[in-house]
């Protein structure tokens, strides 16, 4: 074979190849010797040494009121964690003693932890107090596999504003699956400001990587903290709440069911938001939370239910103001228009009752005395306007005006759980009466704010703010400022205009002024809301309640020029608006504007109100 | 002129024994890596160590089959096998199943097969066949092109499967070419390109151009030994640079130093050429080409790096070069791997006592990072033994290759050595942070049927050739 005898002149190169292989082998062995024997960074002395990842939970942002008074802060708490794989037999008796738990609890908790993961840490005991923690820490070395993770718990400076502030709860599985930020055992804002501003308040979790020895003691930071990530503290939030006013409102409502919403008209900032009955926010913090939550949930008066945002009532006579505005805008009603009232409105066998007052009345007087007959006429003139081919068009137009006040839709405040309320559509009536089966008379109860209408106290306060502003409102919101470089949502800085011209508001405001400040005997319906030296403009209302006594409603703003506060008060089963709601609103306005009450008798009167509630009468539209 | 020889008595049993030891060590480490208190039986076939046992048994059967096939089959059918492999590599691109982002698996029932593992064998065979043909002169353009085609076609197809690691393996055949006499200048050029590529990633362009200029003048001095010429060259370059710098400043054109130097180099280059022709100075043209080449290369590096590499590959390279820190991604894996190996200490934590590898800290513990388990449980004694065993194994294979009488067997033997060498260097290197993370298995150790079978076939074809070496009379 010829080719096997070809001179292999490159045979020497085998040495170079061998040299390369041996060289690299030596380099690797040296490197291995360094990391395995010489370098102690990698060398963990004993067999079960591992890195421990300790999550750093940032302090949640604080919440202040509009005066800068602290409302919500944090307190340290400690979760005892366990890694089942690292457990070694330990003295259960002493362990239980330190933690004040039973042996059964230990067994059960360990079983659950093992089920979750043998290698990963899970919570063994939640929210150990600082004192227990101090005790435990000295002895923790006896319990390999256990370690402590610091967390914070919410603390409240006042007992007020539970609904506003909301509460913080543990994340559920659904959240863990959909949002990778949250891990089992983390906390998240569940309602109120805590929920709406969760992303700002929570900050950003960090992680510290530690080396741990066989005795479960942290030996120091791993790799000089190169793998650590610092936690970012949550942003503080300054809310728009006036905590004094809030506390006063809750005090006034203590023996009543209902709500108060007060808004600063020039900004849309919510000054107070009371839902009664309420609860102490402390009840929903810490280990007592679950128990208290169940108790609160089963309370028939529903203290967890935020009536200010979620209860829907008919607006009652307060709605006359809106119908008056629409009439004027549609040119079917003029300030000088007068209607006769004979104690009731009659038409084709239908009767809408009214109370006794002089007659006939003009527009301003009709608001002052809250004449039902007048508004039946106004409402029919709007719906039977010849400008429109049929009631279907005029009704749509009417509805459009109503919606422009924020009714029948989410106001888009920064609360996550507000309700839309109800404003019927023509389809609603088509369904009930057939397409041509309804006329203005069919809808007559809406003339005086009854019937198919449903509005929330927040929406009513917002409407009042729109009147106070003579035609526009700012979307109500409860947060004034987020600390750090964050802006509030654009929508809170934008004016929302109603579809009513500004000059028409002056006329209804005259009526609201007279309703409160009319001479004695003039027939003014809301004289119980008078405040010396301040011109309060208001309107009473009474929401029909098929389940019991009617609900007492009052809307008002003050002062008349440059209004500082717009308020809506609902007192369930309180009867006429003037009886309980008007004096309550008056006290709130006085407290806010003057910081003192001029006639203490009124405060006594409201505080000592005895309204009979039982489960049946307090039902409302939900 | 062949004679019959009893192949069984001529098998290199030492190599076979080393092979068995490596496979056995691999298997017990896979067992340790996936060890779980809930599965006690070593023969639990639902677990990886159970399955690996099946792969090993099958590998031994395959080794036997390789042995009973006639020796001439491997050289005669090399091209056909190679063609078949190319076909399979194309087919897997179309019909393959994607696993971890790489479309490189055929799925047949419950089994998955990775053709890329077997393509190495075919490439080694064809390379051996081509280079051992009578009329092949390795240092001709024709040979360069053919060899490049043989190596690069499968490599590119594997690259298309998105399996960069396996594609890179093919570059190791350079070692075979080196042994078979490829010109050193070609290798130096290749080495230079690689070094320049790395430098271009790490250093500023300006520094690289200065370095290149310095190197060129040094080489020039070596070749001509005339200090005067070097001085004149540097003087010209310095002068033009200064003039251009002055112009740039006066007209405030705002050019960066890099472009000034580049322009100066262009002008000086012309002057050099004229002078070189006038005074008949040698090698100037070559050096200028070298300079232009390196400038172009530094330019292309950014382009190649940014456009041809995936972000995770860029990251791996950056992490190894220390340009980027990524403690939660690549660096995390390498760190965990180093901790696992480092925590083993001198004697290791003992069999099944490893914690790092079992706590899921280390990724791919039974496949690409199997070396961590060795390091953790057997300590430096274990890693020293394994690395030494591999070195000795390769040393031995080179010895076997060199004793072959037919160039085909020898070249194929170097192919085997090269492929194994590359896998070992990259795999172990990545677990100790010396090379970028490239996902290729550790021969005979890593879990997986395809790679074990492929390495077995690769090795045993060579042992088969060796067993018959005496049939060929000298």
């Amino acid at each position: 074979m010829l080719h096997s005898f070809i001179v292999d002149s490159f045979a020497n190169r085998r040495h170079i190849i061998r040299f390369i292989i041996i060289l690299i082998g030596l380099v690797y062995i040296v490197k291995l010797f360094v990391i395995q024997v010489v370098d102690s960074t990698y060398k963990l002395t004993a067999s079960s040494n591992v890195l421990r990842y300790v999550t750093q939970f940032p302090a949640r942002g604080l919440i202040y009121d509009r005066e800068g008074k602290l409302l919500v802060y944090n307190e340290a708490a400690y979760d005892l964690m366990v890694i089942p794989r690292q457990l070694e037999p330990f003295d259960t008796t002493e362990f239980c003693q330190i933690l004040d738990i039973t042996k059964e609890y230990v067994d059960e908790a360990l079983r659950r932890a093992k089920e979750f993961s043998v290698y990963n840490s899970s919570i063994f005991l939640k929210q150990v107090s600082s004192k227990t923690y101090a005790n435990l820490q000295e002895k923790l070395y006896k319990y390999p596999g256990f370690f402590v993770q610091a967390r914070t718990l919410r603390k409240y400076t006042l007992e007020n504003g539970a609904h506003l502030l909301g509460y913080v709860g543990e994340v559920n599985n659904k959240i863990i699956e959909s949002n990778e930020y949250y891990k089992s055992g983390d906390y998240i804002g569940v309602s109120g400001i805590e929920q709406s501003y969760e992303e700002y308040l929570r900050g950003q979790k960090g992680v510290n990587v530690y080396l741990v020895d066989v005795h479960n003691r942290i030996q120091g930071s791993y790799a000089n903290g190169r793998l650590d990530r610092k936690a970012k503290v949550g942003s503080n939030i300054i809310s728009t709440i006036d905590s004094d006013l809030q506390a006063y409102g809750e005090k006034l409502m203590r023996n009543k069911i209902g709500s108060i919403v007060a808004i600063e008209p020039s900004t849309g900032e919510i000054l107070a938001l009371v839902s009664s009955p309420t609860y102490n926010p402390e009840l929903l913090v810490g280990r007592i939370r679950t128990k208290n939550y169940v108790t609160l949930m089963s309370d028939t008066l529903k203290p967890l239910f935020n009536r200010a945002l979620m209860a829907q009532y008919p607006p009652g006579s307060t709605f006359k103001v809106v119908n008056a505005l629409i009439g004027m805008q549609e040119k079917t009603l003029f300030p000088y228009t007068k209607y006769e009232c004979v104690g009731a409105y009659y038409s084709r066998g239908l009767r809408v009752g009214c109370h006794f007052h002089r007659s006939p009345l003009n527009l301003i007087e009709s608001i002052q005395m809250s004449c039902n007959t007048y508004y039946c006429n106004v409402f029919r003139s709007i719906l039977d306007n010849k400008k429109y081919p049929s009631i279907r068009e005029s009704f749509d137009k009417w509805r459009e005006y109503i919606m422009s006040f924020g009714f029948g839709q989410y106001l888009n405040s920064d609360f996550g759980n507000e309700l839309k309320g109800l404003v019927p559509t023509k389809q609603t009536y088509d369904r009930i009466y057939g397409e041509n089966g309804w006329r203005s008379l069919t809808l007559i109860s809406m003339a005086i704010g009854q019937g198919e209408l449903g509005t929330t106290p927040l929406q009513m306060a917002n409407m009042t703010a729109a009147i106070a502003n003579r035609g526009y409102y700012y979307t109500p919101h409860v947060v004034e400022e987020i600390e750090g470089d964050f802006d509030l949502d654009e929508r809170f800085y934008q004016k929302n205009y109603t579809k009513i011209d500004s000059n028409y508001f002056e006329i209804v405001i005259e009526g609201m002024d007279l309703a409160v400040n009319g001479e004695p005997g003039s027939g003014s319906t809301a004289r119980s809301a008078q405040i010396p030296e301040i011109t309060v403009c208001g309107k009473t209302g009474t929401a029909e309640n098929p389940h019991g006594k009617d609900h007492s409603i009052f809307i008002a703003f003050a002062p008349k020029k440059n209004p500082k506060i717009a308020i809506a008060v609902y007192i369930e089963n309180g009867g006429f608006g003037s009886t309980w709601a008007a004096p309550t609103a008056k006290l709130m306005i006085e407290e806010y504007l003057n910081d003192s009450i001029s006639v203490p008798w009124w405060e006594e009167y409201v505080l000592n109100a005895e309204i009979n509630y039982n489960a049946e009468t307090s039902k409302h539209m939900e | 002129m062949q004679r019959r020889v009893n192949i069984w008595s001529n098998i290199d049993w030492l190599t076979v024994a080393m092979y068995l030891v490596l496979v056995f060590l691999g298997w017990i480490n896979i067992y340790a890596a996936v060890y779980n208190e809930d599965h006690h039986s070593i023969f639990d076939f639902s677990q990886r160590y159970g399955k690996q046992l099946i792969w090993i048994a099958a590998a031994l059967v395959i080794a036997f089959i390789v042995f009973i096939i006639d020796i001439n089959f491997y050289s005669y059918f090399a091209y056909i096998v190679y063609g078949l492999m190319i076909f399979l590599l194309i087919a897997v691109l179309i019909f393959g199943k994607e696993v971890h982002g790489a479309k490189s698996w055929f799925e047949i029932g419950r089994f998955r097969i990775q053709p890329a593992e077997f393509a190495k064998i075919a490439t080694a065979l064809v390379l051996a066949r081509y280079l051992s043909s009578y009329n092949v002169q390795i240092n001709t353009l024709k040979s360069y092109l053919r060899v490049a085609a043989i190596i690069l076609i499968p490599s590119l197809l594997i690259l298309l499967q998105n399996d960069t690691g396996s594609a890179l393996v093919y570059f190791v055949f350079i070692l075979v070419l080196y042994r078979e006499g490829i010109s050193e200048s070609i290798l130096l050029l290749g080495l230079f390109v690689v070094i320049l590529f790395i430098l271009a990633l790490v250093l500023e362009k300006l520094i690289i151009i200065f370095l290149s200029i310095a190197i060129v003048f040094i080489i020039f001095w070596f070749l001509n030994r005339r200090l005067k010429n070097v001085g004149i060259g540097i003087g010209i370059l310095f002068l033009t640079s200064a003039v251009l710098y002055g112009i740039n400043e006066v007209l405030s054109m705002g050019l960066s130093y890099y472009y000034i130097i580049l322009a100066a180099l262009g002008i000086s280059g012309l002057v050099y050429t004229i002078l070189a022709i006038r005074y008949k100075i040698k090698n100037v043209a070559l050096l200028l080409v070298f300079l232009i080449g390196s400038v172009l290369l530094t330019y292309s590096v950014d382009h190649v790096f940014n456009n041809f590499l995936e972000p995770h590959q860029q990251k791996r390279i950056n992490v190894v070069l220390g340009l980027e820190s990524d403690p939660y991604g690549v660096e995390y894996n390498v760190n965990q791997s180093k901790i696992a190996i480092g925590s083993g200490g001198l004697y290791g934590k003992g069999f099944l006592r490893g914690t790092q590898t079992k706590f899921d800290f280390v990724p791919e513990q039974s496949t690409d990072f199997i070396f961590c388990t060795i390091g953790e449980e057997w300590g430096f004694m274990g890693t020293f033994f394994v690395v030494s065993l591999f070195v000795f194994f390769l040393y031995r294979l080179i010895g076997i290759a060199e004793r072959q009488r037919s160039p085909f067997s020898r070249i194929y033997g170097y192919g085997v050595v090269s492929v194994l060498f590359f896998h070992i260097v990259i795999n172990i290197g990545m677990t100790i942070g010396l090379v970028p993370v490239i996902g290729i298995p550790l021969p005979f150790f890593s879990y997986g049927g395809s790679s074990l079978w492929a390495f077995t076939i690769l090795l045993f074809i060579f042992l088969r050739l060796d067993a018959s070496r005496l049939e060929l009379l000298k």
Side-chain angles (χ1 to χ4, degrees), chain A residues 90-151:
Chain A
F90 59 91
D91 178 359
T92 341
T93 325
E94 193 201 33
F95 189 66
C96 290
Q97 217 172 356
I98 299 170
L99 295 170
D100 190 22
I101 48 174
T102 62
K103 175 123 185 7
E104 286 72 43
Y105 179 87
V106 175
D107 293 341
E108 171 61 20
L110 288 182
R111 193 190 56 75
R112 258 188 294 122
K114 276 180 192 152
E115 209 166 82
F116 169 70
S117 165
V118 187
Y119 302 124
N120 293 318
S121 60
S122 52
I123 298 177
F124 175 79
L125 184 63
K126 261 183 238 172
Q127 294 150 13
V128 178
S129 72
S130 324
K131 213 175 127 230
T132 316
Y133 170 63
N135 267 333
L136 179 67
Q137 199 174 23
E138 288 170 22
K139 301 191 172 129
L140 205 57
Y141 72 90
K142 292 186 189 170
Y143 309 107
F146 287 101
F147 69 99
V148 168
Q149 179 126 58
R151 295 212 186 227

Side-chain angles (χ1 to χ4, degrees), chain B residues 202-457:
Chain B
V202 182
L203 302 175
E204 293 281 323
K205 280 198 192 108
L206 189 65
I207 297 173
I208 291 175
I209 204 165
F210 275 127
L211 274 179
S212 311
I213 292 167
I215 291 169
V216 163
F217 277 116
I218 289 167
I219 297 173
F220 182 57
W221 182 74
F222 262 110
L223 295 175
N224 291 40
R225 300 275 169 182
R226 286 226 183 116
L227 218 49
K228 192 181 134 205
N229 286 354
V230 177
I232 290 170
I234 293 174
I236 291 168
L237 184 61
F238 188 77
L239 213 65
T240 39
S241 304
V243 169
L244 286 175
Y245 176 78
I247 292 170
N248 182 46
E249 284 298 296
V250 171
L251 300 180
S252 54
M253 295 192 294
L255 285 175
S256 73
Y257 292 135
Y258 179 71
Y259 288 102
I260 294 172
I261 297 289
L262 214 57
L265 212 54
I267 296 166
S268 317
L270 273 174
V271 178
Y272 295 156
T273 317
I274 293 163
L275 291 176
I277 294 167
R278 177 94 190 269
Y279 296 103
K280 297 199 170 72
I281 303 167
K282 282 178 191 163
N283 299 320
V284 171
L286 191 73
L287 290 171
L288 280 176
V289 168
F290 172 84
L291 212 53
I292 292 165
S294 63
V295 167
L296 287 178
L297 190 69
T298 41
Y299 253 104
S300 67
V301 165
D302 280 344
H303 183 72
V304 169
F305 190 74
N306 293 325
N307 296 307
F308 287 93
L309 295 181
E310 304 274 332
H312 70 271
Q313 292 165 341
Q314 296 174 7
K315 206 169 219 170
R316 286 169 184 179
I317 292 172
N318 280 341
V319 167
V320 166
L321 294 178
L323 297 174
E324 194 178 327
S325 177
D326 176 32
Y328 289 98
V330 182
E331 207 184 336
Y332 173 87
N333 290 348
V334 173
N335 249 310
Q336 290 302 341
S337 159
K338 281 202 243 174
I339 292 165
I341 294 171
S343 72
L346 186 58
Y347 299 107
K349 297 176 185 172
F351 184 47
L352 301 185
R353 294 270 178 77
T355 49
Q356 298 301 312
T357 42
K358 290 189 194 64
F359 274 95
D360 287 341
F361 284 121
V362 179
E364 305 286 338
Q365 300 144 9
S366 58
T367 53
D368 296 344
F369 282 87
I370 188 73
F371 194 73
C372 294
T373 311
I374 304 168
E376 195 187 9
E377 298 196 343
W378 305 99
F380 178 67
M381 302 312 263
T383 52
F384 179 79
F385 178 74
V386 170
V387 173
S388 308
L389 186 60
F390 270 129
V391 168
F392 185 69
F393 187 71
L394 293 174
Y395 195 91
R396 175 84 193 159
L397 288 182
I398 290 174
I400 297 172
E402 290 295 343
R403 76 183 179 200
Q404 299 308 308
R405 294 178 178 183
S406 96
F408 173 80
S409 302
R410 182 185 67 232
I411 296 167
Y412 177 77
Y414 270 99
V416 175
V417 169
S418 307
V419 169
L420 292 176
F421 179 59
F422 185 83
H423 274 263
I424 294 162
V425 167
I426 297 297
N427 185 286
I428 297 180
M430 104 187 149
T431 63
I432 55 179
L434 286 178
V435 298
V437 174
I438 295 169
I440 55 172
L442 186 60
F444 314 123
F445 270 77
S446 291
Y447 169 79
S450 285
S451 74
L452 178 64
W453 294 351
F455 286 125
T456 302
I457 296 170

